[in-house]
Short mmCIF file of all heavy atoms in Angstrom, two decimals:
data_model
loop_
_atom_site.label_atom_id
_atom_site.label_comp_id
_atom_site.label_asym_id
_atom_site.label_seq_id
_atom_site.Cartn_x
_atom_site.Cartn_y
_atom_site.Cartn_z
N PHE A 374 2.01 -10.07 -7.81
CA PHE A 374 2.37 -10.29 -6.45
C PHE A 374 1.95 -11.59 -5.90
O PHE A 374 2.53 -12.04 -4.87
CB PHE A 374 1.83 -9.15 -5.62
CG PHE A 374 2.56 -7.83 -5.72
CD1 PHE A 374 2.14 -6.88 -6.64
CD2 PHE A 374 3.74 -7.65 -5.06
CE1 PHE A 374 2.85 -5.63 -6.79
CE2 PHE A 374 4.41 -6.38 -5.17
CZ PHE A 374 3.99 -5.40 -6.05
N ILE A 375 0.86 -12.21 -6.43
CA ILE A 375 0.36 -13.47 -5.89
C ILE A 375 0.57 -14.55 -6.96
O ILE A 375 -0.17 -15.55 -6.94
CB ILE A 375 -1.08 -13.44 -5.40
CG1 ILE A 375 -2.03 -13.02 -6.51
CG2 ILE A 375 -1.18 -12.42 -4.24
CD1 ILE A 375 -3.53 -13.12 -6.14
N GLY A 376 1.46 -14.41 -7.90
CA GLY A 376 1.75 -15.36 -8.89
C GLY A 376 0.76 -15.49 -10.00
O GLY A 376 0.72 -16.54 -10.66
N GLY A 377 0.01 -14.45 -10.21
CA GLY A 377 -1.04 -14.48 -11.24
C GLY A 377 -0.53 -14.17 -12.59
O GLY A 377 -1.22 -14.33 -13.63
N GLY A 378 0.79 -13.68 -12.76
CA GLY A 378 1.32 -13.29 -14.01
C GLY A 378 0.82 -11.97 -14.50
O GLY A 378 0.25 -11.18 -13.72
N GLY A 379 1.01 -11.69 -15.79
CA GLY A 379 0.58 -10.46 -16.31
C GLY A 379 1.79 -9.45 -16.47
O GLY A 379 2.90 -9.77 -16.08
N LEU A 380 1.48 -8.24 -16.99
CA LEU A 380 2.47 -7.28 -17.16
C LEU A 380 3.11 -6.73 -15.88
O LEU A 380 4.21 -6.15 -15.88
CB LEU A 380 1.95 -6.06 -17.97
CG LEU A 380 1.51 -6.37 -19.43
CD1 LEU A 380 0.72 -5.24 -20.01
CD2 LEU A 380 2.70 -6.83 -20.27
N GLY A 381 2.43 -6.94 -14.78
CA GLY A 381 3.02 -6.54 -13.50
C GLY A 381 4.28 -7.27 -13.14
O GLY A 381 5.07 -6.80 -12.33
N THR A 382 4.54 -8.43 -13.76
CA THR A 382 5.73 -9.21 -13.56
C THR A 382 6.99 -8.36 -13.92
O THR A 382 7.97 -8.39 -13.22
CB THR A 382 5.71 -10.50 -14.45
OG1 THR A 382 4.57 -11.22 -14.15
CG2 THR A 382 6.96 -11.32 -14.15
N PHE A 383 6.89 -7.61 -15.01
CA PHE A 383 7.98 -6.75 -15.33
C PHE A 383 8.21 -5.64 -14.36
O PHE A 383 9.38 -5.19 -14.11
CB PHE A 383 7.72 -6.15 -16.77
CG PHE A 383 7.74 -7.16 -17.86
CD1 PHE A 383 6.50 -7.55 -18.42
CD2 PHE A 383 8.89 -7.73 -18.27
CE1 PHE A 383 6.47 -8.51 -19.44
CE2 PHE A 383 8.91 -8.69 -19.29
CZ PHE A 383 7.66 -9.07 -19.91
N ILE A 384 7.14 -5.15 -13.77
CA ILE A 384 7.23 -4.02 -12.80
C ILE A 384 7.91 -4.55 -11.54
O ILE A 384 8.81 -3.90 -10.98
CB ILE A 384 5.83 -3.50 -12.51
CG1 ILE A 384 5.18 -2.79 -13.74
CG2 ILE A 384 5.88 -2.50 -11.31
CD1 ILE A 384 3.79 -2.33 -13.51
N ILE A 385 7.52 -5.73 -11.10
CA ILE A 385 8.11 -6.33 -9.90
C ILE A 385 9.59 -6.65 -10.14
O ILE A 385 10.43 -6.32 -9.32
CB ILE A 385 7.36 -7.61 -9.54
CG1 ILE A 385 5.97 -7.28 -9.03
CG2 ILE A 385 8.11 -8.37 -8.39
CD1 ILE A 385 5.08 -8.47 -8.75
N ASN A 386 9.89 -7.26 -11.26
CA ASN A 386 11.27 -7.59 -11.61
C ASN A 386 12.11 -6.32 -11.67
O ASN A 386 13.29 -6.26 -11.23
CB ASN A 386 11.37 -8.35 -12.93
CG ASN A 386 10.77 -9.81 -12.72
OD1 ASN A 386 10.67 -10.26 -11.61
ND2 ASN A 386 10.49 -10.40 -13.80
N GLY A 387 11.61 -5.29 -12.35
CA GLY A 387 12.28 -4.02 -12.49
C GLY A 387 12.65 -3.38 -11.17
O GLY A 387 13.75 -2.87 -10.97
N LEU A 388 11.63 -3.44 -10.26
CA LEU A 388 11.91 -2.83 -8.94
C LEU A 388 12.89 -3.61 -8.15
O LEU A 388 13.77 -3.07 -7.44
CB LEU A 388 10.57 -2.72 -8.19
CG LEU A 388 9.54 -1.69 -8.67
CD1 LEU A 388 8.19 -1.90 -7.91
CD2 LEU A 388 10.02 -0.32 -8.38
N SER A 389 12.75 -4.98 -8.21
CA SER A 389 13.66 -5.78 -7.39
C SER A 389 15.10 -5.71 -7.91
O SER A 389 16.07 -5.82 -7.15
CB SER A 389 13.23 -7.28 -7.45
OG SER A 389 13.25 -7.79 -8.80
N MET A 390 15.29 -5.52 -9.22
CA MET A 390 16.67 -5.48 -9.75
C MET A 390 17.15 -4.03 -10.00
O MET A 390 18.24 -3.80 -10.49
CB MET A 390 16.67 -6.21 -11.15
CG MET A 390 16.39 -7.67 -11.05
SD MET A 390 16.57 -8.53 -12.64
CE MET A 390 15.31 -7.73 -13.61
N TYR A 391 16.29 -3.04 -9.59
CA TYR A 391 16.64 -1.67 -9.84
C TYR A 391 16.95 -1.36 -11.30
O TYR A 391 17.79 -0.55 -11.66
CB TYR A 391 17.80 -1.22 -8.98
CG TYR A 391 17.50 -1.19 -7.48
CD1 TYR A 391 17.83 -2.29 -6.64
CD2 TYR A 391 16.78 -0.12 -6.92
CE1 TYR A 391 17.53 -2.27 -5.31
CE2 TYR A 391 16.47 -0.12 -5.58
CZ TYR A 391 16.85 -1.16 -4.74
OH TYR A 391 16.52 -1.18 -3.45
N LYS A 392 16.26 -2.08 -12.21
CA LYS A 392 16.31 -1.88 -13.61
C LYS A 392 15.01 -1.16 -14.08
O LYS A 392 14.03 -1.87 -14.39
CB LYS A 392 16.60 -3.12 -14.39
CG LYS A 392 17.94 -3.69 -14.05
CD LYS A 392 18.31 -4.99 -14.89
CE LYS A 392 19.65 -5.48 -14.57
NZ LYS A 392 19.94 -6.72 -15.43
N PHE A 393 15.04 0.11 -14.15
CA PHE A 393 13.80 0.80 -14.52
C PHE A 393 13.35 0.69 -15.93
O PHE A 393 12.22 0.86 -16.22
CB PHE A 393 13.96 2.32 -14.12
CG PHE A 393 14.14 2.55 -12.70
CD1 PHE A 393 15.44 2.89 -12.19
CD2 PHE A 393 13.11 2.41 -11.78
CE1 PHE A 393 15.62 3.06 -10.80
CE2 PHE A 393 13.28 2.64 -10.41
CZ PHE A 393 14.54 2.96 -9.95
N GLN A 394 14.28 0.26 -16.83
CA GLN A 394 13.83 -0.03 -18.16
C GLN A 394 12.94 -1.25 -18.21
O GLN A 394 12.00 -1.27 -19.00
CB GLN A 394 15.06 -0.21 -19.11
CG GLN A 394 15.96 -1.45 -18.82
CD GLN A 394 17.04 -1.19 -17.83
OE1 GLN A 394 16.88 -0.25 -17.00
NE2 GLN A 394 18.11 -1.91 -17.88
N VAL A 395 13.18 -2.21 -17.30
CA VAL A 395 12.31 -3.39 -17.25
C VAL A 395 10.99 -3.03 -16.67
O VAL A 395 9.93 -3.37 -17.14
CB VAL A 395 13.01 -4.45 -16.33
CG1 VAL A 395 12.09 -5.65 -16.24
CG2 VAL A 395 14.33 -4.88 -16.91
N LEU A 396 10.98 -2.13 -15.69
CA LEU A 396 9.72 -1.60 -15.08
C LEU A 396 8.86 -0.98 -16.18
O LEU A 396 7.64 -1.18 -16.15
CB LEU A 396 10.07 -0.66 -13.97
CG LEU A 396 8.93 -0.12 -13.09
CD1 LEU A 396 9.42 0.25 -11.68
CD2 LEU A 396 8.32 1.13 -13.73
N LEU A 397 9.50 -0.12 -16.96
CA LEU A 397 8.75 0.58 -18.04
C LEU A 397 8.09 -0.36 -19.05
O LEU A 397 7.08 -0.06 -19.62
CB LEU A 397 9.68 1.60 -18.71
CG LEU A 397 10.14 2.78 -17.90
CD1 LEU A 397 11.04 3.64 -18.74
CD2 LEU A 397 8.94 3.64 -17.43
N VAL A 398 8.74 -1.51 -19.29
CA VAL A 398 8.17 -2.50 -20.19
C VAL A 398 6.83 -3.00 -19.76
O VAL A 398 5.97 -3.32 -20.56
CB VAL A 398 9.12 -3.67 -20.44
CG1 VAL A 398 8.48 -4.86 -21.17
CG2 VAL A 398 10.42 -3.20 -21.24
N GLY A 399 6.62 -3.01 -18.44
CA GLY A 399 5.27 -3.38 -17.90
C GLY A 399 4.38 -2.16 -17.65
O GLY A 399 3.15 -2.20 -17.98
N ALA A 400 4.93 -1.04 -17.24
CA ALA A 400 4.11 0.09 -16.83
C ALA A 400 3.55 0.86 -18.02
O ALA A 400 2.35 1.23 -18.03
CB ALA A 400 5.02 1.07 -16.03
N ILE A 401 4.33 1.05 -19.07
CA ILE A 401 3.79 1.82 -20.22
C ILE A 401 2.70 1.12 -20.97
O ILE A 401 1.57 1.74 -21.21
CB ILE A 401 4.95 2.12 -21.20
CG1 ILE A 401 5.91 3.13 -20.51
CG2 ILE A 401 4.42 2.74 -22.50
CD1 ILE A 401 7.22 3.43 -21.36
N PRO A 402 2.78 -0.20 -21.26
CA PRO A 402 1.66 -0.89 -21.87
C PRO A 402 0.36 -0.89 -20.98
O PRO A 402 -0.73 -0.79 -21.55
CB PRO A 402 2.16 -2.33 -22.09
CG PRO A 402 3.62 -2.18 -22.16
CD PRO A 402 3.96 -1.11 -21.19
N ILE A 403 0.58 -1.00 -19.66
CA ILE A 403 -0.62 -0.97 -18.80
C ILE A 403 -1.32 0.40 -18.91
O ILE A 403 -2.61 0.50 -19.01
CB ILE A 403 -0.22 -1.22 -17.31
CG1 ILE A 403 0.19 -2.69 -17.23
CG2 ILE A 403 -1.37 -0.95 -16.37
CD1 ILE A 403 0.78 -3.04 -15.89
N ALA A 404 -0.48 1.47 -18.89
CA ALA A 404 -1.09 2.81 -19.02
C ALA A 404 -1.80 2.96 -20.37
O ALA A 404 -2.90 3.52 -20.43
CB ALA A 404 0.04 3.89 -18.91
N LEU A 405 -1.21 2.44 -21.43
CA LEU A 405 -1.88 2.57 -22.73
C LEU A 405 -3.10 1.77 -22.87
O LEU A 405 -4.14 2.24 -23.46
CB LEU A 405 -0.80 2.12 -23.84
CG LEU A 405 0.43 2.99 -24.05
CD1 LEU A 405 1.35 2.29 -25.03
CD2 LEU A 405 0.03 4.37 -24.53
N LEU A 406 -3.12 0.56 -22.24
CA LEU A 406 -4.31 -0.24 -22.20
C LEU A 406 -5.50 0.45 -21.48
O LEU A 406 -6.60 0.38 -21.92
CB LEU A 406 -4.02 -1.60 -21.52
CG LEU A 406 -3.23 -2.62 -22.34
CD1 LEU A 406 -2.83 -3.81 -21.47
CD2 LEU A 406 -4.00 -3.03 -23.56
N THR A 407 -5.19 1.07 -20.37
CA THR A 407 -6.23 1.75 -19.63
C THR A 407 -6.84 2.90 -20.44
O THR A 407 -8.02 3.13 -20.45
CB THR A 407 -5.79 2.22 -18.24
OG1 THR A 407 -4.63 3.13 -18.42
CG2 THR A 407 -5.35 1.07 -17.40
N ILE A 408 -5.86 3.71 -21.09
CA ILE A 408 -6.37 4.77 -21.93
C ILE A 408 -7.24 4.31 -23.09
O ILE A 408 -8.29 4.83 -23.38
CB ILE A 408 -5.13 5.57 -22.41
CG1 ILE A 408 -4.42 6.29 -21.26
CG2 ILE A 408 -5.62 6.63 -23.47
CD1 ILE A 408 -3.12 6.89 -21.64
N PHE A 409 -6.74 3.23 -23.74
CA PHE A 409 -7.49 2.68 -24.89
C PHE A 409 -8.81 2.15 -24.46
O PHE A 409 -9.89 2.38 -25.12
CB PHE A 409 -6.67 1.51 -25.45
CG PHE A 409 -7.28 0.84 -26.67
CD1 PHE A 409 -7.36 1.49 -27.84
CD2 PHE A 409 -7.84 -0.41 -26.51
CE1 PHE A 409 -8.02 0.89 -28.97
CE2 PHE A 409 -8.41 -1.01 -27.63
CZ PHE A 409 -8.47 -0.37 -28.82
N SER A 410 -8.88 1.54 -23.26
CA SER A 410 -10.15 1.00 -22.77
C SER A 410 -11.18 2.17 -22.49
O SER A 410 -12.35 2.09 -22.87
CB SER A 410 -9.94 0.24 -21.45
OG SER A 410 -11.15 -0.18 -20.83
N GLU A 411 -10.65 3.22 -21.88
CA GLU A 411 -11.53 4.42 -21.62
C GLU A 411 -12.06 5.01 -22.91
O GLU A 411 -13.18 5.41 -22.99
CB GLU A 411 -10.82 5.37 -20.77
CG GLU A 411 -11.65 6.57 -20.32
CD GLU A 411 -11.11 7.28 -19.09
OE1 GLU A 411 -9.96 6.96 -18.68
OE2 GLU A 411 -11.75 8.24 -18.67
N VAL A 412 -11.17 5.16 -23.90
CA VAL A 412 -11.57 5.71 -25.25
C VAL A 412 -12.65 4.85 -25.86
O VAL A 412 -13.69 5.38 -26.32
CB VAL A 412 -10.37 5.86 -26.12
CG1 VAL A 412 -10.85 6.21 -27.51
CG2 VAL A 412 -9.42 6.90 -25.60
N ILE A 413 -12.50 3.53 -25.86
CA ILE A 413 -13.45 2.63 -26.51
C ILE A 413 -14.83 2.69 -25.78
O ILE A 413 -15.90 2.89 -26.50
CB ILE A 413 -12.94 1.14 -26.41
CG1 ILE A 413 -11.72 0.96 -27.35
CG2 ILE A 413 -14.05 0.16 -26.79
CD1 ILE A 413 -12.01 1.20 -28.77
N PHE A 414 -14.81 2.68 -24.49
CA PHE A 414 -16.12 2.71 -23.72
C PHE A 414 -16.70 4.14 -23.91
O PHE A 414 -17.97 4.26 -23.92
CB PHE A 414 -15.90 2.40 -22.28
CG PHE A 414 -15.96 0.94 -22.00
CD1 PHE A 414 -14.80 0.17 -21.75
CD2 PHE A 414 -17.15 0.21 -21.94
CE1 PHE A 414 -14.81 -1.19 -21.54
CE2 PHE A 414 -17.19 -1.12 -21.69
CZ PHE A 414 -16.01 -1.82 -21.49
N SER A 415 -15.94 5.19 -23.99
CA SER A 415 -16.46 6.49 -24.17
C SER A 415 -17.18 6.62 -25.56
O SER A 415 -18.21 7.26 -25.65
CB SER A 415 -15.32 7.57 -24.12
OG SER A 415 -14.80 7.60 -22.81
N CYS A 416 -16.62 5.96 -26.56
CA CYS A 416 -17.21 5.98 -27.89
C CYS A 416 -18.51 5.13 -27.84
O CYS A 416 -19.50 5.65 -28.46
CB CYS A 416 -16.26 5.33 -28.92
SG CYS A 416 -14.82 6.27 -29.29
N ILE A 417 -18.55 4.06 -27.17
CA ILE A 417 -19.77 3.24 -27.05
C ILE A 417 -20.86 4.10 -26.30
O ILE A 417 -22.05 4.09 -26.66
CB ILE A 417 -19.49 1.96 -26.33
CG1 ILE A 417 -18.55 1.04 -27.08
CG2 ILE A 417 -20.81 1.21 -26.01
CD1 ILE A 417 -18.07 -0.20 -26.37
#
Side-chain angles (χ1 to χ4, degrees):
F374 282 96
I375 61 171
L380 294 173
T382 304
F383 294 105
I384 296 175
I385 292 175
N386 291 343
L388 287 172
S389 63
M390 296 185 297
Y391 292 98
K392 292 184 177 180
F393 295 104
Q394 67 270 25
V395 179
L396 185 152
L397 290 177
V398 169
I401 292 176
I403 291 171
L405 293 175
L406 284 173
T407 56
I408 293 170
F409 180 72
S410 173
E411 186 160 2
V412 169
I413 291 295
F414 275 102
S415 294
C416 292
I417 296 172

